[in-house]
Structure formats: C-alpha cells, structure tokens
Amino acid sequence: MSEHALIVIDVQNDFCPGGALAVDEGDVIVPLMNQLIDTHSHVILTQDWHTADHSSFASQHPGKAPYETVEAEYGPQTLWPDHCVQGTKGAEFHPDLNVTPAELIIRKGFRQAIDSYSAFFENDHTTPTGLAGYLRERGLSKLRLAGLATDFCVAYSALDAVAQGFSVEVVLAASRGIDLDGSVDAMIGRMREAGVVIR
Ligand code: VGL
Ligand code: ZN
C-alpha cells in the first residue's frame, strides 16, 4: 500500500460523456482510478457540489454563454454550463468508481456566490475547505492527485497543495482535461514549475 494519500478529484457523472460539462474520455479513467484506490491506504474524494443558481453558471448571467469570463468580486471567473447541482444524478460519482474505501469526501463550490476549483481553497484563494487541516492532523504529507479535470480542479488543487507544503504528484493517466485554449499544457507547465511531480 502506498503511503501517499490519494485524492480523487471530481469523478462525477457531469464530467463524463453524456454529462452537462463532459470531459473527453472522462469515464475512461475509472478502471485505473479504481486500481489506485485499491493500492492506497488513504483515499479522499472531492465532489463538485453547486447550488442550482450557482454564480459560476452562465445561465445566471444574462447575455453570457458558457466558457465566457466574468469579473467576480474575487477575480475573473469562467462561466460553465449548469453542472454538478446538489442532489442530482450529474453530481453523483461515476457509478463504477469504487467509492467504498474513501475516508473523506470534500464537497466544494457549495456556496452560491463563489466557485471552488481547488480542493483546498475556494476561488478567492483565501477561504479554506478544511482539507489541509485534515491532512495535517492525520499526518498525511505526501499526496497523489488524479481525476477531472486536469486543467481546472486537479491543477488548482495540486498548486494549492504544494503552496501548503505538501509533496504532490499528479497522475496524468488517471486524469483528463477540459482544454480551453491550450489550458491543459499551460496548467501542466505551471504545476511542474511549482514543484508538482507529473507522472
Ligand atoms: C471543474 C469546471 C467547473 C473541475 C469544476 O472539476 O475541473 N471544472 N467546475
Ligand atoms: Zn463546478
């Protein structure tokens, strides 16, 4: 069993083919993710969990379309199709994901006025989710991250994790990206520069 804590990012129906914000091949990672889950003694899941009127949804901004950007109080915010609404099928984990061994599920993006890509901080980069404190109290300093999407929730989680002093690996084979204007390559570059080990 690896001593790394595995953090499984947002493997939810809405990020898989047929979902509201489908990531290409988002479902293809599930068998490999299940192998990773089997070989880690600490497994943590994250779950994007938005209110139906969430401010990151283009539907809440008259005249705006998905993938456009608005200026939020905390800075620029990309607008998305409605996705991962609390209590819906789309917000559920992929049905084949082995969620049973998970010791913690961190939900994020549940406050209407603020999005949260990172598992550690909301998009204001100051409101903590509590995950860093959890990991520290449990003595878990080595993290391995994978999931959806490489260039958003995986990348921002990895960047925050190194900034918080954790040792961080991202497993690309068990991740897939949204890729807006080359954002996958850009975010992989930012992660490497910050000291994230890309596997
Ligand atoms: C995500 C966009 C909006 C992600 C979540 O999980 O990467 N991306 N909400
Ligand atoms: Zn979201």
Side-chain angles (χ1 to χ4, degrees), residues 10 15 21 48 50 80 83 108 115 117 148-149 152-153 178:
D10 297 1
F15 297 122
L21 178 38
D48 213 36
H50 297 308
W80 305 104
H83 66 279
K108 57 185 183 60
D115 203 4
Y117 296 147
L148 307 172
F152 286 91
C153 291
I178 295 173

Side-chain angles (χ1 to χ4, degrees), residues 50 54-55 74 109-116 122-124 127:
H50 297 308
H54 197 258
S55 57
Y74 50 82
F110 50 77
R111 294 195 300 154
Q112 188 277 334
I114 185 164
D115 203 4
S116 187
E122 298 188 30
N123 281 10
D124 59 4
T127 308

Side-chain angles (χ1 to χ4, degrees), residues 43-90:
V43 176
I44 292 161
L45 310 176
T46 71
Q47 190 171 28
D48 213 36
W49 195 250
H50 297 308
T51 59
D53 61 350
H54 197 258
S55 57
S56 75
F57 296 168
S59 61
Q60 301 302 305
H61 301 265
K64 294 282 179 187
Y67 312 107
E68 290 182 32
T69 302
V70 289
E71 208 52 46
E73 265 172 45
Y74 50 82
Q77 169 69 48
T78 303
L79 296 177
W80 305 104
D82 294 16
H83 66 279
C84 297
V85 173
Q86 298 168 2
T88 64
K89 265 265 175 255

Side-chain angles (χ1 to χ4, degrees), residues 80-155:
W80 305 104
D82 294 16
H83 66 279
C84 297
V85 173
Q86 298 168 2
T88 64
K89 265 265 175 255
E92 289 175 12
F93 294 110
H94 187 287
D96 297 333
L97 185 72
N98 179 19
V99 300
T100 308
E103 64 186 42
L104 176 72
I105 298 174
I106 285 275
R107 287 178 168 164
K108 57 185 183 60
F110 50 77
R111 294 195 300 154
Q112 188 277 334
I114 185 164
D115 203 4
S116 187
Y117 296 147
S118 165
F120 292 89
F121 289 97
E122 298 188 30
N123 281 10
D124 59 4
H125 305 295
T126 54
T127 308
T129 62
L131 180 57
Y134 176 87
L135 294 167
R136 282 192 197 109
E137 284 200 27
R138 306 265 286 150
L140 300 167
S141 58
K142 295 182 179 176
L143 312 182
R144 187 167 280 139
L145 273 65
L148 307 172
T150 312
D151 42 346
F152 286 91
C153 291
V154 174

Side-chain angles (χ1 to χ4, degrees), residues 144-168:
R144 187 167 280 139
L145 273 65
L148 307 172
T150 312
D151 42 346
F152 286 91
C153 291
V154 174
Y156 285 102
S157 298
L159 290 171
D160 280 349
V162 281
Q164 288 290 303
F166 294 97
S167 137
V168 185

